[in-house]
Amino acid sequence: MGSLFRSQEMTLCQLFLQSEAAYACVSELGELGLVQFRDLNPDVNAFQRKFVNEIRRCDEMERILRFLDAEVRKDGIPILETGENPEAPQPREMIDLEATFEKLENEMKEINNNSEALKRNYLELSELKHILRKTQNFFDERESEVSSDHSGGPTDKTLFMNDGGGPSGASSNLGFVAGVILRERIPAFERMLWRVCRGNVFLRHTEIEAPLEDPHTGNEVYKSVFIIFFQGDQLKNRVKKICEAFRATLYPCPETPGERREMAFGVMTRIEDLTTVLGQTQDHRHRVLVAAAKNINMWFIKVHKIKAIYHTLNLFNLDVTQKCLIGECWCPVMDLDRIRLALRRGTELSGATVPSILNRMDTPEVPPTYHKTNKFTSAYQGIVDAYGISNYREVNPAPFTVITFPFLFAVMFGDLGHGLVMAVMAFFLVWKEKWIASRRIEGEIFGTIFGGRYIIFMMGLFSVYTGIIYNDIFSKSFNIFGPRWMTNRTIYQFQDHGEPAHGTLFTLDPVLDFKYGQGPYPFGLDPTWALASNKISFINSFKMKMSVILGVLQMMFGIILSCYNHLFFGKLINVFCEFIPQVLFLLCMFGYLVVLIFYKWVNFHASMAGCAPSLLIGLINMFLFKYSDNPKNNADGTPCLQNIFYDTQKSFQSFLVLLALFCVPWMLCVKPFILHRRWKASQAALPLHNVDENGHAEGGKVQASHGGGHDDHGDGATFDFGNIIIYQAIHTIEFCLGIISNTASYLRLWALSLAHSQLSEVLWNMVMKFSFNINGWGGIPLLFFLFAAWSFLTLAILVMMEGMSAFLHALRLHWVEFQNKFYGGQGYQFQPFSFATMTDGNKPVDE
Amino acid sequence: MLKICGPKLAITGIIISVWGLFQLVLMGVFFFVESPALIEDLPMEEHDYIQDAYQNHGIKIQAAYRQQALNCWVCAGLYALLLIFSGQQAFQSLRQSSYTGM
């Protein structure tokens, strides 16, 4: 593994490939995935390139494959996932593939056409069958109506018979049509018939219970059988028109029952025949598709590879003799040997006589940024890259993020129980990663969590650590080493060897009730605090101070990293004009505050608590140069050090403030001034007539060696003094204001930590506490269900939601407060030509 | 055996029952040793247990602790049953899904 501290050293190379060997060589490079090709014909559009014909053929093959894939999926045939990775086929194999695909496609199309025709036939027959069966009912009803006395009342059925001029004449005069219509069209259909025929037709309809299959789309549709009785030819025409408009299919229906029965019989036999034919067609289709499903993934990969190779070859330049293709590519210097080896292999495979040549070139262009990551570091690199790709070869924050990110997260998420839940779940993902990755579970959320499994695992472990420090497990505390507080003067001391011996006090006095002999609680917070009513005010003070300390340390670390950048890029001027005043500025203000925090922790005993200096007010007074005298000594003669607590405090603090103030003009003015001086000196040294030429040459060189950093104005031939001043002023103001606001911003560590512990305590008291409410066996079902509710809420609110919020805040602290001290983030990503990333974005690329 | 719930519910069941198994066994232990951190969770008012402690040698408190410890252990047993059940369900849906390859 290469170093993650800086990105890989890259170089621009020229490739000379024999035209016979080019395909094999590019295929080898694609398997290797370490080379980014540059487009040498950016002006040529896609249709005028050399291999456009091959790419078209690949497109056609892809289309057929997608068609086959859709057919396979429609039939629900499982696609074989062998996970194997076939090599890119030789160009001559392409013809075989094309022939195979074309044959398959034609076969599939023919089968589809046939089965569609058959299905349509089948649909018509089954509709006819339904019509015959349902209309039979209508006719039966009518027969019975006719035979019975029709004076029973003006029902619908008898009405039209009366209109027909008597029961006997009715059936002979009446015509009817029968058909099938989509069920949802019935109401509109009925209304239309009524309106157009002015109520002179009689419609009966009934639903076909079983769904029918639409032969074209394959969907299931529900239909109804209808029969319309009417009188006269005019109405008949109208009814037929309406039926046509509603896409109803009309079927001939014989008048007499005997004919109908005969017809039904014929239809049944035809349906039976059709079913066997349909079954055979389906079987054939299934066989063809199963055979295709076995190979379809392999074919997809092969076609993609061919297409990618020709696409890459299109980026190359043709040599004048047409014998040789010339390409340019970025590649990491470390891997040049592997690339050469791959080229040689490609040449040998293709049997070309002339070897391929890889030639390093000098270029003024800025190379792409390439970090070699593995599956553990890639997620952290992703966090950094989401803010901005680092400049070429500048310090990469990712290796530090590996530790600081989970740590800052855990400071906000500190709870042993929640940390454990998180770590166990992430550990499961890490443990079973191959199995889970092979199952390809869809879903963006799951994908994100699975991608960040190592980060989440680390965050969980760190939360366990901070949870022990805060002595918090689901808002309860553990007593491991024995508390350092004595309760024998308070009313809480219930028993002493069976005898009630209790005091009268409600509070613990740190001077009298603390066991000084044993020293402080060895690790983390004393469990006695968990039961104290002033727990929050104690913990707040501790966590606030801790956030300031952590913040100042991390910002200081960021500024030190900027020094590594200045030294690496050879910008000594930045060390003296930016790095040193920045360090002084930070140390004079908040560095001093951190020292005071430790001083106060170490030097002020509980008995002096009332007289200890207030750090916040002290800091404000320090900037206001306001120093008041200490109040009078205590009654017992001990001094009260509320304002002044060491001898030279006033002069030292004034010195610090003045030094910090002095750093501002130092950062602001010195660098532009020096640059101006340098430019003038170089102007004077150059003879007049070739100023321009040299100036340009120098500018080009500087850009090349410095990687185009944005603060190189003024080194070129033109010197824009105003620009530099403005840039420097923005930089300085941003830094000075940033130091103050960023330090304040680190207080979010305290705020989120407080919120988290309070929320978990509230959840316990609101839900879990009630499960112990019944003093008896009835508590068991209560406990069973409330525990499930509590654990689910803990998971959803405290682990997921709070975890997300702590994650976002940790992200912000890294992107803004930490990285703006040193990180440029103006580079561009190295995107190698690689089959592995192309064929499957989700597959982890392990070497 | 019968398949009642889908894979997601089964996995949720597994997670919660493993968690419940561990936590309830441990909490049972802590109730059993009369951990003071849990005294606020007992079904008693503050003046009740002060009175009980002064006049009654804390017998009621001890009984309450003991009762909750037993409750926790019984519940842990119930969660073990739930774990077996949901494990079986998850296994079944897993086998089914690997068969169809979906």
Side-chain angles (χ1 to χ4, degrees):
Chain A
M1 279 332 298
S3 157
L4 202 58
F5 185 59
R6 292 184 193 283
S7 61
Q8 296 284 310
E9 201 180 334
M10 306 297 280
T11 178
L12 188 66
C13 286
Q14 211 169 13
L15 264 179
F16 296 92
L17 303 175
Q18 292 302 304
S19 25
E20 311 95 72
Y23 184 89
C25 286
V26 171
S27 152
E28 287 294 327
L29 290 178
E31 298 291 346
L32 195 63
L34 282 170
V35 171
Q36 176 179 357
F37 289 101
R38 301 205 313 170
D39 192 358
L40 295 182
N41 329 304
D43 309 327
V44 183
N45 72 25
F47 300 105
Q48 291 166 340
R49 301 200 174 205
K50 185 167 163 41
F51 296 102
V52 63
N53 209 6
E54 281 81 356
I55 287 186
R56 276 217 186 111
R57 282 162 63 195
C58 288
D59 278 341
E60 175 66 15
M61 285 197 278
E62 268 189 298
R63 185 192 61 73
I64 297 175
L65 282 179
R66 276 198 304 270
F67 165 70
L68 287 178
D69 191 50
E71 293 293 317
V72 169
R73 279 172 203 280
K74 208 156 84 180
D75 275 23
I77 298 169
I79 293 175
L80 199 65
E81 295 263 7
T82 50
E84 66 182 307
N85 187 13
E87 294 250 312
Q90 293 292 316
R92 56 180 175 276
E93 269 183 54
M94 205 165 136
I95 302 166
D96 293 346
L97 280 179
E98 273 180 319
T100 319
F101 294 165
E102 210 162 312
K103 204 176 127 222
L104 263 176
E105 193 203 11
N106 286 340
E107 203 173 340
M108 270 321 292
K109 274 190 176 156
E110 209 169 310
I111 294 173
N112 280 356
N113 281 342
N114 287 345
S115 77
E116 197 185 319
L118 284 174
K119 274 184 186 164
R120 181 168 297 131
N121 217 331
Y122 178 76
L123 178 81
E124 279 169 8
L125 282 178
S126 49
E127 279 180 358
L128 187 54
K129 181 185 81 182
H130 283 294
I131 281 182
L132 289 174
R133 191 175 296 160
K134 303 280 179 191
T135 46
Q136 190 61 43
N137 297 343
F138 301 149
F139 289 119
D140 288 348
E141 277 171 26
R142 199 178 60 167
E143 301 293 322
S144 57
E145 291 285 341
V146 168
S147 55
S148 71
D149 187 18
H150 65 266
S151 62
T155 58
D156 280 347
K157 289 163 201 108
T158 52
L159 262 180
F160 72 86
M161 289 168 189
N162 289 339
D163 289 346
S168 54
S171 54
S172 59
N173 286 344
L174 281 177
F176 67 89
V177 290
V180 172
I181 192 170
L182 281 178
R183 206 179 278 180
E184 62 267 22
R185 291 214 177 116
I186 284 281
F189 183 56
E190 197 166 2
R191 184 167 304 157
M192 182 66 96
L193 275 175
W194 178 263
R195 296 247 166 97
V196 172
C197 306
R198 297 162 205 253
N200 286 327
V201 297
F202 175 61
L203 172 78
R204 286 292 311 268
H205 61 85
T206 172
E207 291 171 355
I208 302 174
E209 291 83 11
L212 298 165
E213 193 189 342
D214 187 333
H216 191 63
T217 60
N219 295 336
E220 292 194 331
V221 286
Y222 288 90
K223 290 191 167 181
S224 288
V225 169
F226 64 88
I227 181 163
I228 303 169
F229 298 95
F230 50 79
Q231 204 175 18
D233 279 346
Q234 215 174 351
L235 269 181
K236 185 179 181 179
N237 283 338
R238 279 192 198 171
V239 165
K240 279 197 166 162
K241 284 259 163 59
I242 293 170
C243 289
E244 231 165 78
F246 277 85
R247 303 263 166 116
T249 21
L250 298 180
Y251 291 95
C253 190
E255 301 246 354
T256 63
E259 278 175 75
R260 280 201 295 271
R261 203 163 300 126
E262 209 169 289
M263 190 169 182
F265 198 68
V267 165
M268 286 309 284
T269 46
R270 275 166 70 196
I271 283 183
E272 262 166 40
D273 290 351
L274 255 183
T275 328
T276 40
V277 176
L278 258 178
Q280 274 166 7
T281 322
Q282 280 298 336
D283 278 355
H284 181 53
R285 179 188 149 92
H286 195 77
R287 270 199 302 278
V288 172
L289 284 179
V290 165
K294 270 186 201 146
N295 285 322
I296 200 157
N297 268 355
M298 195 112 100
W299 285 337
F300 259 123
I301 295 174
K302 277 184 177 172
V303 171
H304 279 157
K305 280 188 175 177
I306 300 176
K307 197 178 168 191
I309 289 170
Y310 280 117
H311 181 76
T312 310
L313 287 176
N314 268 340
L315 305 178
F316 283 32
N317 247 343
L318 260 190
D319 172 79
V320 265
T321 58
Q322 298 269 327
K323 289 240 172 92
C324 168
L325 287 164
I326 305 171
E328 278 180 22
C329 59
W330 290 109
C331 43
V333 175
M334 252 179 67
D335 292 315
L336 275 178
D337 285 340
R338 288 175 66 192
I339 295 167
R340 288 216 172 88
L341 206 65
L343 284 179
R344 197 176 307 153
R345 216 164 37 227
T347 320
E348 275 167 19
L349 271 180
S350 63
T353 45
V354 188
S356 308
I357 300 163
L358 186 74
N359 190 16
R360 280 180 76 164
M361 301 199 319
D362 279 336
T363 173
E365 276 180 68
V366 188
T369 307
Y370 174 45
H371 296 290
K372 274 197 167 176
T373 54
N374 54 21
K375 62 185 175 182
F376 178 71
T377 48
S378 62
Y380 293 97
Q381 188 66 53
I383 287 181
V384 172
D385 285 348
Y387 175 76
I389 310 290
S390 66
N391 290 349
Y392 178 59
R393 307 234 66 201
E394 82 171 332
V395 170
N396 178 21
F400 314 109
T401 311
V402 171
I403 294 302
T404 53
F405 188 86
F407 178 65
L408 287 190
F409 171 86
V411 168
M412 293 179 270
F413 196 72
D415 188 301
L416 205 161
H418 303 151
L420 212 56
V421 169
M422 197 178 247
V424 167
M425 285 182 177
F427 178 74
F428 180 78
L429 292 184
V430 170
W431 184 37
K432 292 273 179 197
E433 64 183 358
K434 290 219 170 104
W435 180 72
I436 295 172
S438 72
R439 283 178 65 84
R440 291 166 201 245
I441 299 169
E442 302 287 320
E444 201 179 358
I445 295 176
F446 182 80
T448 315
I449 291 177
F450 184 65
R453 60 196 180 278
Y454 286 99
I455 296 184
I456 297 175
F457 183 53
M458 292 283 275
M459 294 193 308
L461 291 185
F462 274 81
S463 305
V464 169
Y465 170 70
T466 50
I468 295 173
I469 288 181
Y470 297 157
N471 209 341
D472 246 354
I473 171 164
F474 301 123
S475 83
K476 293 288 165 193
S477 286
F478 268 120
N479 175 13
I480 299 168
F481 305 104
R484 297 302 195 248
W485 297 82
M486 294 173 288
T487 52
N488 45 13
R489 298 195 311 129
T490 63
I491 61 157
Y492 300 110
Q493 184 73 14
F494 294 147
Q495 277 172 304
D496 194 12
H497 304 295
E499 284 302 307
H502 58 89
T504 50
L505 294 175
F506 282 93
T507 51
L508 296 171
D509 185 345
V511 181
L512 297 172
D513 295 327
F514 195 80
K515 298 176 191 166
Y516 284 99
Q518 296 180 18
Y521 193 72
F523 190 81
L525 202 69
D526 195 307
T528 314
W529 283 110
L531 298 171
S533 58
N534 64 339
K535 179 190 180 191
I536 290 181
S537 44
F538 169 71
I539 285 194
N540 276 355
S541 148
F542 161 67
K543 283 181 178 171
M544 258 192 262
K545 284 169 182 160
M546 186 195 62
S547 338
V548 171
I549 293 169
L550 291 178
V552 171
L553 280 182
Q554 200 185 17
M555 288 193 291
M556 194 65 218
F557 183 57
I559 296 176
I560 289 170
L561 286 181
S562 79
C563 183
Y564 276 88
N565 270 342
H566 299 327
L567 290 177
F568 184 80
F569 293 119
K571 289 188 232 167
L572 268 184
I573 183 176
N574 283 0
V575 175
F576 294 110
C577 304
E578 280 174 8
F579 170 66
I580 292 176
Q582 282 177 352
V583 169
L584 285 178
F585 190 79
L586 179 61
L587 284 184
C588 289
M589 295 165 74
F590 293 106
Y592 179 63
L593 179 65
V594 170
V595 172
L596 287 190
I597 289 173
F598 280 104
Y599 180 79
K600 190 179 166 184
W601 271 341
V602 174
N603 264 26
F604 288 88
H605 184 252
S607 57
M608 304 151 76
C611 284
S614 159
L615 294 179
L616 192 58
I617 293 172
L619 191 71
I620 293 169
N621 284 342
M622 170 176 151
F623 289 112
L624 299 175
F625 299 104
K626 209 170 95 184
Y627 296 95
S628 43
D629 290 335
N630 284 329
K632 282 197 180 122
N633 286 355
N634 292 332
D636 56 352
T638 50
C640 197
L641 305 171
Q642 211 153 23
N643 295 319
I644 310 277
F645 45 95
Y646 62 95
D647 288 341
T648 52
Q649 188 181 5
K650 187 171 173 182
S651 46
F652 184 62
Q653 288 189 348
S654 307
F655 167 72
L656 287 180
V657 174
L658 290 177
L659 185 57
L661 287 180
F662 173 68
C663 286
V664 178
W666 184 357
M667 279 184 265
L668 186 64
C669 305
V670 176
K671 189 180 168 191
F673 179 71
I674 290 178
L675 286 179
H676 189 64
R677 274 270 298 273
R678 270 192 196 168
W679 177 73
K680 267 197 164 168
S682 69
Q683 293 288 82
L686 290 173
L688 262 178
H689 55 271
N690 58 1
V691 164
D692 210 44
E693 208 177 82
N694 279 355
H696 271 305
E698 197 193 6
K701 217 166 68 194
V702 165
Q703 218 191 10
S705 63
H706 285 192
H710 47 66
D711 45 13
D712 284 320
H713 328 274
D715 285 327
T718 54
F719 187 79
D720 193 351
F721 196 64
N723 211 348
I724 292 177
I725 288 279
I726 289 174
Y727 174 76
Q728 197 67 20
I730 290 173
H731 195 68
T732 308
I733 292 171
E734 192 193 333
F735 179 81
C736 296
L737 293 182
I739 286 294
I740 296 163
S741 65
N742 291 353
T743 309
S745 178
Y746 274 100
L747 288 175
R748 77 185 65 230
L749 292 177
W750 152 66
L752 267 99
S753 165
L754 171 73
H756 186 78
S757 64
Q758 288 303 297
L759 207 58
S760 70
E761 198 173 327
V762 165
L763 190 67
W764 184 282
N765 287 341
M766 299 294 272
V767 182
M768 200 60 183
K769 199 175 166 182
F770 287 111
S771 57
F772 306 114
N773 237 352
I774 296 178
N775 199 0
W777 297 109
I780 291 172
L782 194 68
L783 180 59
F784 184 80
F785 289 110
L786 277 184
F787 178 81
W790 174 81
S791 60
F792 185 75
L793 286 176
T794 299
L795 206 61
I797 298 176
L798 291 172
V799 177
M800 297 289 177
M801 251 174 62
E802 277 279 291
M804 179 62 81
S805 109
F807 183 93
L808 290 178
H809 282 280
L811 201 62
R812 186 223 141 94
L813 285 180
H814 277 84
W815 280 352
V816 180
E817 274 74 22
F818 177 51
Q819 289 184 7
N820 77 359
K821 303 289 182 291
F822 65 96
Y823 189 63
Q826 305 274 321
Y828 66 99
Q829 184 81 47
F830 175 61
Q831 287 166 321
F833 168 64
S834 156
F835 291 144
T837 50
M838 180 191 63
T839 48
D840 192 350
N842 303 326
K843 227 183 247 171
V845 190
D846 290 310
E847 311 223 334
Chain B
M1 233 177 94
L2 198 62
K3 185 168 173 278
I4 295 169
C5 55
K8 280 173 195 149
L9 186 59
I11 287 172
T12 313
I14 289 178
I15 291 173
I16 285 190
S17 48
V18 168
W19 184 352
L21 195 61
F22 277 97
Q23 185 169 349
L24 289 171
V25 166
L26 285 176
M27 282 186 65
V29 172
F30 297 137
F31 272 119
F32 193 77
V33 300
E34 296 174 15
S35 160
L38 295 169
I39 196 160
E40 288 174 353
D41 295 317
L42 291 181
M44 294 172 95
E45 293 298 317
E46 188 170 340
H47 64 264
D48 279 346
Y49 38 66
I50 289 179
Q51 203 182 3
D52 184 54
Y54 292 160
Q55 294 163 8
N56 215 3
H57 299 286
I59 284 170
K60 271 194 203 162
I61 298 179
Q62 278 177 7
Y65 265 124
R66 194 60 53 90
Q67 180 67 51
Q68 295 305 337
L70 292 176
N71 282 4
C72 280
W73 285 331
V74 172
C75 263
L78 291 180
Y79 273 108
L81 292 181
L82 183 65
L83 176 63
I84 293 169
F85 171 72
S86 40
Q88 185 264 333
Q89 293 289 317
F91 178 73
Q92 223 157 43
S93 46
L94 201 72
R95 208 175 47 184
Q96 204 167 35
S97 72
S98 65
Y99 172 69
T100 56
M102 297 302 279

